[in-house]
Amino acid sequence: MLPFQIILHGFLLWASMGFLMPIGILVIRMSNREECERRLKIIFYVHATLQILSLLLVTVAAIMSIESFDNSFTNNHQRIGLALYGAIWLQAATGVYKPDRGSKGRSIWFPIHWLLGVTVSLLGINNIYTGLQNYHTRTLRSTSVWTLAFTVEIVVILFIYLLQEKWQYIKQIRSDLVNETVTASELRNIFNR
């Protein structure tokens, strides 16, 4: 097995599971409080495009794995990868058959799609780390820089994910503080007359 094939396999799966998919999740979360129909469509299409590209890269990496690597499934990386591949396609199928907003089916669909997305994301992140460990074991090359870089990327994505949840609250507090400052300023002007 050539180290180039291992590197390409890892890069494709990082680009898919470690970059495109999380960015797609961050993008769709922007729709939570969006009311403009046009912006909602743009957000949805960007999300769908990123997820489709991610799915295509995963499929290329899986085909490459089948053709080039030992598929005895004797290690966790291979087993998780196989389960992950099935979960990714199931997640894509739930995305294709999405009920309209406000419909009864949407209340059933959303938690399933969300839970599958979280599962795929966490398994994907875990499998990137196990893949880096396997690469190190097979080639004896250091992966500490790649592990650190991926960890920093995940921390930044997680920070943005959490910030998105509280962004409206942060904006409201800022607005309230500005209004309170104006009110206090007006009060000083009244007392200084």
Side-chain angles (χ1 to χ4, degrees):
M1 177 174 3
L2 298 172
F4 173 76
Q5 291 171 315
I6 297 171
I7 292 169
L8 182 59
H9 172 81
F11 177 78
L12 290 171
L13 289 168
W14 164 80
S16 171
M17 302 299 306
F19 186 73
L20 292 173
M21 198 168 287
I23 298 301
I25 291 168
L26 293 177
V27 167
I28 200 63
R29 286 175 52 86
M30 292 169 32
S31 70
N32 288 346
R33 291 186 175 84
E34 183 59 58
E35 294 177 14
C36 175
E37 195 67 32
R38 182 172 177 262
R39 286 186 190 151
L40 279 172
K41 282 185 178 183
I42 291 169
I43 289 170
F44 171 76
Y45 286 121
V46 169
H47 168 75
T49 301
L50 290 170
Q51 302 307 58
I52 290 167
L53 286 172
S54 176
L55 183 65
L56 292 173
L57 290 178
V58 164
T59 301
V60 168
I63 291 168
M64 184 180 166
S65 178
I66 290 167
E67 290 179 351
S68 303
F69 303 153
D70 167 37
N71 292 306
S72 59
F73 299 101
T74 56
N75 64 56
N76 285 337
H77 180 72
Q78 291 173 337
R79 285 180 276 214
I80 291 171
L82 182 62
L84 187 56
Y85 189 66
I88 289 168
W89 275 97
L90 183 59
Q91 171 71 352
T94 65
V96 169
Y97 298 107
K98 170 180 73 92
D100 293 333
R101 282 183 183 231
S103 69
K104 185 178 179 183
R106 183 78 173 218
S107 63
I108 296 166
W109 171 86
F110 181 79
I112 292 169
H113 187 69
W114 180 83
L115 188 59
L116 273 170
V118 168
T119 302
V120 163
S121 294
L122 293 176
L123 280 175
I125 289 167
N126 180 59
N127 222 31
I128 290 170
Y129 283 117
T130 61
L132 286 168
Q133 289 171 347
N134 284 356
Y135 178 75
H136 172 70
T137 302
R138 287 181 182 227
T139 65
L140 298 177
R141 293 183 183 167
S142 175
T143 58
S144 56
V145 171
W146 295 112
T147 302
L148 178 63
F150 184 60
T151 301
V152 168
E153 176 195 346
I154 294 302
V155 167
V156 168
I157 288 171
L158 184 59
F159 177 76
I160 293 169
Y161 184 88
L162 295 172
L163 183 65
Q164 282 180 317
E165 189 68 30
K166 297 299 179 189
W167 187 247
Q168 287 302 115
Y169 179 72
I170 292 167
K171 284 175 35 179
Q172 183 61 44
I173 288 175
R174 184 174 178 209
S175 175
D176 290 347
L177 287 174
V178 168
N179 290 338
E180 286 177 23
T181 304
V182 171
T183 305
S185 174
E186 291 171 352
L187 284 174
R188 275 190 237 108
N189 287 338
I190 291 171
F191 290 117
N192 288 335
R193 288 185 185 172

